[in-house]
Amino acid sequence: MTPEAGLLGRVVEELRWSFAPPRYWLEGVAFNVVLSLLYLLYEPLAHTHRRFGWVVLVGTYFATFILADITTTNVLGPDAVRVRGGLDAGIPMRTILLTKNLVLLIIVGLPTLMLTAILAHSMRLGPLVGTLCAVALPLLCWLGVGNIISVLLAVRPRSLVRRWRERRSRATALWIGHLALPYGVYVLVAPIDGTQHDPLLKLLPHIDRNLRFIWNAGLGVLLWALGTAIALYIYRRRGLRVY
């Protein structure tokens, strides 16, 4: 990550890193896609007669499950050397987090939104804005949560052989914790019970459906900004500790 490049250049550079060996992010995303499909066999999504609600539920399910991948909530660990180099070169942490969030939106967010749009179009649900905004809410929320966890618990990759040799060390305990943490958060925030959650439905029961989902997207942006602000505050207080 070079300080001379603008935001677009940094995003392109980050995309190149993501698709170049050893592809830590892509491996994690692929693993969670398979895991999410296997979990559907164990716990199918709740049946609903409302096609709109079902499409939103499918998009929300994949958005949250795939973004629960540890490489999403550990955006600063897999390439800790590059991150350190960028910080030493004068790139602000907020720029690094923004760049990585945009790349994750491209790699995970766009395919999820495209899947949602295809389902909505095939079912002739009408305007896509409300559906896509409803799915954008968990995408943005998870990125905000991921930024906080990333600053708190940046864990660099190590071989399993080395992990086994260091199995009694604090580093191994932190590694196990950082693997389990995002899935624990997922259980709390995601529709793992197979029901659709609309956080504004009870607060705004009489508002137009599409407008309410647009407000949901706005809420997602707000929560992402809040999560990022908390992450930056933690970074200013304690710096970046890579485990």
Side-chain angles (χ1 to χ4, degrees), residues 9-32:
R10 293 192 185 101
V11 170
V12 172
E13 182 182 346
E14 199 71 20
L15 281 170
R16 288 173 181 165
W17 171 81
S18 301
F19 284 89
R23 304 183 183 90
Y24 293 119
W25 280 12
L26 294 183
E27 288 180 0
V29 169
F31 173 79
N32 265 33

Side-chain angles (χ1 to χ4, degrees), residues 64 67-68 72-73 138-147 182 185-186 189:
T64 50
L67 282 173
T72 305
T73 49
L139 281 168
L140 294 168
C141 289
W142 198 265
L143 288 177
V145 172
N147 286 341
V185 175
Y186 173 78
V189 303

Side-chain angles (χ1 to χ4, degrees), residues 39 85 157 179 182 216 231:
Y39 188 82
L179 286 175
N216 274 337

Side-chain angles (χ1 to χ4, degrees), residues 14-123:
E14 199 71 20
L15 281 170
R16 288 173 181 165
W17 171 81
S18 301
F19 284 89
R23 304 183 183 90
Y24 293 119
W25 280 12
L26 294 183
E27 288 180 0
V29 169
F31 173 79
N32 265 33
V33 170
V34 174
L35 194 61
S36 65
L37 293 173
L38 291 176
Y39 188 82
L40 279 180
L41 298 177
Y42 171 74
E43 185 73 35
L45 297 177
H47 176 73
T48 175
H49 296 290
R50 296 176 61 248
R51 293 181 300 170
F52 178 83
W54 183 84
V55 170
V56 170
L57 179 58
V58 170
T60 301
Y61 171 81
F62 282 105
T64 50
F65 206 117
I66 295 172
L67 282 173
D69 170 32
I70 193 58
T71 57
T72 305
T73 49
N74 181 27
V75 298
L76 304 176
D79 61 334
V81 175
R82 292 176 65 247
V83 171
R84 290 282 195 193
L87 292 171
D88 293 341
I91 300 177
M93 176 59 78
R94 63 178 180 274
T95 302
I96 293 175
L97 289 176
L98 176 60
T99 301
K100 290 182 175 294
N101 286 175
L102 289 174
V103 170
L104 283 170
L105 282 175
I106 293 172
I107 294 176
V108 178
L110 284 181
T112 302
L113 293 175
M114 289 176 61
L115 171 64
T116 304
I118 291 172
L119 288 174
H121 178 72
S122 65
M123 294 184 176

Side-chain angles (χ1 to χ4, degrees), residues 127-242:
L128 295 177
V129 175
T131 308
L132 296 179
C133 286
V135 176
L137 172 59
L139 281 168
L140 294 168
C141 289
W142 198 265
L143 288 177
V145 172
N147 286 341
I148 297 174
I149 301 176
S150 298
V151 173
L152 281 174
L153 206 60
V155 179
R156 71 174 72 235
R158 291 183 175 90
S159 67
L160 291 178
V161 173
R162 184 174 176 182
R163 293 290 184 192
W164 176 253
R165 290 173 180 170
E166 300 173 347
R167 60 188 180 276
R168 300 183 185 277
S169 67
R170 179 171 178 266
T172 299
L174 290 172
W175 173 65
I176 294 174
H178 105 293
L179 286 175
L181 181 60
Y183 297 101
V185 175
Y186 173 78
V187 171
L188 295 177
V189 303
I192 199 167
D193 57 352
T195 58
Q196 179 190 356
H197 300 295
D198 182 350
L200 296 184
L201 181 59
K202 294 182 179 179
L203 295 177
L204 305 170
H206 304 297
I207 198 169
D208 177 76
R209 181 184 65 185
N210 286 335
L211 182 59
R212 188 175 69 244
F213 283 126
I214 293 174
W215 283 28
N216 274 337
L219 177 62
V221 173
L222 177 62
L223 292 175
W224 169 80
L226 178 61
T228 304
I230 294 173
L232 293 175
Y233 174 77
I234 294 172
Y235 171 72
R236 287 193 296 268
R237 295 285 295 182
R238 70 196 287 267
L240 179 64
R241 304 174 187 177
V242 181

